[in-house]
Each structure stands twice: as structure tokens, then as C-alpha cells.
Amino acid sequence: MPDAVLRVPDAKIALSTASVYPESTADGFEIAARLGYDGVEVMVSTDPVSQDIEALRRLSDHHAVPILSVHAPCLLITQRVWGTDPWAKLVRARDAAVRLGARTVVVHPPFRWQRSYARDFVRGIERMAGETDVLFAVENMFPLRYRDKEVAAYAPDWDPSDENYRHFTLDLSHTATSRSDALDMLARMGDRLGHVHLADGSGSLKDEHLVPGRGTQPCAELLEHLARTSFAGAVVLEVNTRRCGNRAEREADLAEALAYTRLHLAAEAGAERRHG
């Protein structure tokens, strides 16, 4: 009888160091190693270790966990990390990625009040992408909502998929918050999808970053699509474990997230007859 053949892509499954907050960047490496993740994404944050290339290199070597990507410090709470010039931050993020052997820099669209940066962002990202082998993967965000009002906080837009960027990061918690169709956005990104932030969401006004499978987003469908298309980027678990009461609960959530991802990051490639 024919056997189903599963296709598993070369994609690595990484843990974002943001997923262990309020524990530290160093704890993120330790947990990733213990649970069997393929690597980490360093969220450059207010934690001094996340900003220190040599400290990160030592953690990577000590735990034998490669750094697959660097998330540039472009959150509201990191507006002064690595200075206040957004272009200088991206240069430092690129240099960090090169020195750490990371493939990708994750970057958000500018905030609307960063007028000069926003005006030049599309051209500037294209210029920087042409100067390095590091991928600058622009991430989809979401509008801010209060009751019935919606505020566009990002420019050119919170949805980058209509712009001519070379690479994108698709974040499924953000598609939930923006109430977007994640699979439609995936289709618009096409073969320019370079990186994935995997988390779930229920469509709340808040950016939830739930463990995959606990919300309404098509996490399984996305992963199966990645398998069918031989996706070779990284799938990064970026989940919120702040409400976990202790390390054991946090590790249980992150182990569940990893198991879910490994289960669904495969697709039936067809059938073939057993020989012999």
C-alpha cells in the first residue's frame, strides 16, 4: 500500500529571548538549550546582556545554541537602546548579526512620529539590504485601537506586505491584533517571506502572543504551508509567558509551543510505494 511521505523543511525553530521575560536574556539561552530549540532570536532590549556582542557570543558557545536572528531595538521601551538614531540602530543590528553569525535582522516599520525615518524607510531598507548578506525582514504590526477608534501608529503602514521590501517577517499575534487574514498576508508576501514569528491571538485589542493553538490564528496551516514550500528561514516562537508563576510553568508553555511547531512543520508530500 502507498505510504504518505512527510516533507519537513530546513527551517530552524528558534526561541525569542523575549519569550522568557521577566527572566533575562541569559535565561533565554539556557531554556532554549534545555528544551531542544534549534537556536535563539536575540531581542535587543534594556537588558545589558542583549546589547553586548561578546556576552551573547559566550552564551551561544556555552549553551551550544546558535543565534539565528537579531531583533533590532525598535519598540517603544527600547527607543534609547543603542542611541536614538533609528538608522544607526539598524547598522548596529546588522553588524551584530554579522559578528554573531545570524541570518536575519527583524525590523518594525517606523512610528508615524519618526517623520524623517518614515519618509526614507522603504528606500533606506532597500539600500541597506543591498549592502549585506544579512536579511532585513520587515515585520507586520497593527493599528492601535481604543474603543471604536483606530489610530495608525506606523508609517508607511502597519502592514508592510504592499511595499517592495526584499524580505518580510510574518507575525501571527500581530495579524490577530490587526484582525487581518494571516493567510492572505502570507500570499501577498509570497517568496519574500524570510522569517516567521509564531504565536497565537484571539483578536483582542492587546497584542497577546499566546502559545500556538490557544487562539484563533491559522498557526497549523501556516506551518504546513512552510513545509510544502520548503521554507528555509527561521520560525521563532515569540510567546508571552509573563503570567507564568514560576520557571516550571514557563518551560511547560515553551515546550508545548515547540512540540506544536515541530508537529505541524511538516506536510504530506504525496504518496509513494514501499520498495523491497
Side-chain angles (χ1 to χ4, degrees), residues 186-208:
L186 172 67
R188 290 196 299 277
M189 291 180 174
D191 60 8
R192 291 180 293 163
L193 178 68
H195 199 67
V196 172
H197 279 170
L198 189 65
D200 215 329
S202 65
S204 166
L205 297 180
K206 296 181 179 179
D207 185 18
E208 297 172 290

Side-chain angles (χ1 to χ4, degrees), residues 6-178:
L6 291 182
R7 177 185 295 137
V8 180
D10 293 332
K12 303 295 185 183
I13 303 174
L15 179 66
S16 170
T17 56
S19 295
V20 306
Y21 184 84
E23 295 193 61
S24 68
T25 300
D27 293 320
F29 280 84
E30 179 187 349
I31 291 172
R34 178 159 45 249
L35 296 181
Y37 279 82
D38 298 323
V40 300
E41 174 172 296
V42 173
M43 171 68 80
V44 180
S45 67
T46 56
D47 180 349
V49 171
S50 74
Q51 306 168 31
D52 186 330
I53 306 305
E54 291 308 314
L56 292 170
R57 195 197 309 275
R58 288 193 296 271
L59 284 168
S60 178
D61 290 345
H62 176 72
H63 293 288
V65 175
I67 297 169
L68 302 182
S69 48
V70 174
H71 195 308
C74 43
L75 305 176
L76 279 173
I77 62 172
T78 58
Q79 287 298 288
R80 295 188 176 276
V81 171
W82 283 353
T84 57
D85 180 343
W87 290 115
K89 290 171 182 276
L90 293 189
V91 170
R92 289 191 67 169
R94 178 199 63 198
D95 292 348
V98 170
R99 291 173 62 187
L100 295 168
R103 177 177 184 263
T104 302
V105 167
V106 178
V107 58
H108 292 180
F111 292 111
R112 188 165 292 278
W113 58 82
Q114 296 174 299
R115 294 182 180 178
S116 175
Y117 180 46
R119 183 172 59 249
D120 298 331
F121 184 72
V122 177
R123 292 189 299 272
I125 289 292
E126 172 62 23
R127 182 184 67 253
M128 292 188 72
E131 297 171 347
T132 179
D133 291 333
V134 173
L135 308 186
F136 283 91
V138 183
E139 184 173 1
N140 62 297
M141 298 304 292
F142 46 86
L144 302 182
R145 293 190 178 91
Y146 178 72
R147 294 180 179 172
D148 295 330
K149 295 183 179 179
E150 182 174 298
V151 177
Y154 298 93
D157 195 7
W158 55 265
D159 177 1
S161 62
D162 289 328
E163 297 290 346
N164 193 31
Y165 301 117
R166 295 191 188 190
H167 298 99
F168 297 104
T169 296
L170 178 60
D171 186 306
L172 265 66
S173 178
H174 295 173
T175 58
T177 305
S178 65

Side-chain angles (χ1 to χ4, degrees), residues 193-236:
L193 178 68
H195 199 67
V196 172
H197 279 170
L198 189 65
D200 215 329
S202 65
S204 166
L205 297 180
K206 296 181 179 179
D207 185 18
E208 297 172 290
H209 286 274
L210 304 176
V211 171
R214 297 185 184 178
T216 61
Q217 293 304 287
C219 297
E221 293 90 335
L222 168 68
L223 292 168
E224 290 159 9
H225 169 85
L226 298 181
R228 287 194 302 273
T229 56
S230 300
F231 180 69
V235 178
V236 177

Side-chain angles (χ1 to χ4, degrees), residues 235-257:
V235 178
V236 177
L237 273 300
E238 192 183 64
V239 300
N240 186 343
T241 63
R242 297 178 192 181
R243 294 187 178 181
C244 292
N246 52 49
R247 167 68 73 88
E249 290 181 9
R250 175 165 292 112
E251 290 194 2
D253 275 0
L254 297 177
E256 178 184 331

